[in-house]
Amino acid sequence: MAYGIIGRNRFMPSGLAQDGTRWILPLHVTLLLLLAAGAQPLGGIDRAMCQWDCGWYEQIARNGYDMPPRWTSDDYGQASWAFFPLYPLLLRAMIDLTGLGAHAAGLAIGAILFPVLVLLAATYMRDRVGDDGANGPFRTVMFLILPTGFWFRLPYTECLYGVLLLGMLMVLARGRTLAAMLLAALLCLTRPTGLVCVIVAALFHAFAPGMRAPGAGRPTRLVEGGVVILAGGTGLASFIFFLDHLLGDGLAFAHVQAAWGHQPHLPSFWIGYGFTHRRTLHLAIAALLEIGLIGWGLRIGWRMESCTLLATFLLAGSAGIMSIHRIVLGNPLAGMLLTIMADRAPPSWRRWLILLCLVLDCVFADSWLHGRRFLA
Amino acid sequence: MGGAFLPERSRRDGRTRLLGLAMLGLLCGLVDLAGLWRATHPHVGAAYRQLYLTPGGIVNGTTLRQ
């Protein structure tokens, strides 16, 4: 993120409308309406969208973490403290503020945050690769309809995480360190991978030559990067204190992962495992695609973004293959790399790429609404 | 004449900002150290230890399908 591209003095860029951001809300609402129409026979969009981990988040939002683990033979030992608290807190606040049910409140959070995420991503990409005519609108629309963006519409943590991550990167680049510290702490309260993202981004801020801005010398950058890492650690530490008070084990969120079959191994082990089991074959393929995407990102010079994704991949891939597609490809940095890849394809491919994304969106939505597990 | 003092004032503001950030960082660092200490010193019962802190302590449908 070179200074000349994302400068300290530019908070909100001019000419947003030229980026295709005017399409964000209409397109977002249209896709939501289509999703609602598809979900109508299944009991409504709010009910049909709440699958898998959504139930855990709702349980935490309603009852807090003070619930015993599950004891049935299938999920023996699984417990709510595997899930980080910020999203359930937001869900609880939305329920209390609006009077909506938990399903509808989760859907509303995604519906509000996703356009914000797209706006941040459009701004980030515009600052990163520049304004160039029709490419801005194409990038914005692509990011919005990417099949991997389906995770952002779910009542899951992905959208909140993405907004906090992009927000932190952008305010850090503009020298708004206090805001970056706050966002880093919140990011670390959202998902277990938050702290590695904060560390990589802050190290790049402190040391990468292209990140230095006029008037912000190395000592300033070192202090800014250092305090952002420490603030992220404080966010995680607050969850550790809470779990220590509740259970006597501050790392309970990590230890309980064993109940989901997560064990420490090299990512190569888990990828090999994925290829030898039919249930996880798609995850192993996704892991290889992610490695390819990260390599491509490094090649085109998106070093900080690619290293952040790599750190996320290594952390998640060291514990298991489950959900590796969602954890990495559901990160907005991966979404932006995919968008830039589409942007660099021949212009004649664009309409076909948009069509392909829309078709895949329909396939993913149908699969999710019917409770199939492959996106979970 | 006031303009001549601006660079000096700006430098002083910059130093004050850095000092403020460093103090805040120090506070965060202390909280982080306390969190690290709590994380590495669990105080749990035998049942919890057997289930979550012993490798292979949990066998359920999910782990068996792995």
Side-chain angles (χ1 to χ4, degrees), chain A residues 199-330:
Chain A
I199 290 173
V200 173
L203 287 177
F204 267 86
H205 179 79
F207 295 109
M211 313 267 301
R212 260 179 260 148
R218 173 59 62 84
T220 303
R221 292 275 162 160
L222 274 173
V223 171
E224 289 175 350
V227 296
V228 167
I229 292 175
L230 292 169
T234 301
L236 183 59
S238 60
F239 190 41
I240 288 174
F241 290 136
F242 172 77
L243 292 177
D244 182 67
H245 175 72
L246 183 73
L247 303 162
D249 179 14
L251 291 182
F253 68 87
H255 295 140
V256 74
Q257 295 298 326
W260 277 269
H262 292 169
Q263 296 168 32
H265 283 294
L266 287 175
S268 55
F269 168 87
W270 284 115
I271 293 172
Y273 175 92
F275 274 113
T276 52
H277 293 74
R278 204 165 62 87
R279 268 184 77 242
T280 50
L281 181 61
H282 67 292
L283 296 166
I285 293 169
L288 290 188
L289 291 175
E290 285 161 3
I291 293 170
L293 183 68
I294 291 166
W296 184 79
L298 287 170
R299 224 186 87 207
I300 63 166
W302 283 50
R303 290 192 301 270
M304 184 272 289
E305 295 84 354
S306 302
C307 288
T308 305
L309 288 175
L310 181 61
T312 303
F313 175 84
L314 291 176
L315 181 67
S318 301
I321 191 87
M322 293 306 292
S323 304
I324 192 76
H325 53 347
R326 174 166 58 84
I327 294 168
V328 178
L329 295 176

Side-chain angles (χ1 to χ4, degrees), chain A residues 12 15 95 98 109 112 156 187 212 240 260 271 315 366:
Chain A
M12 282 304 285
I95 292 169
T98 61
I109 291 172
I112 294 167
Y156 267 38
L187 191 66
R212 260 179 260 148
I240 288 174
W260 277 269
I271 293 172
L315 181 67
D366 184 67

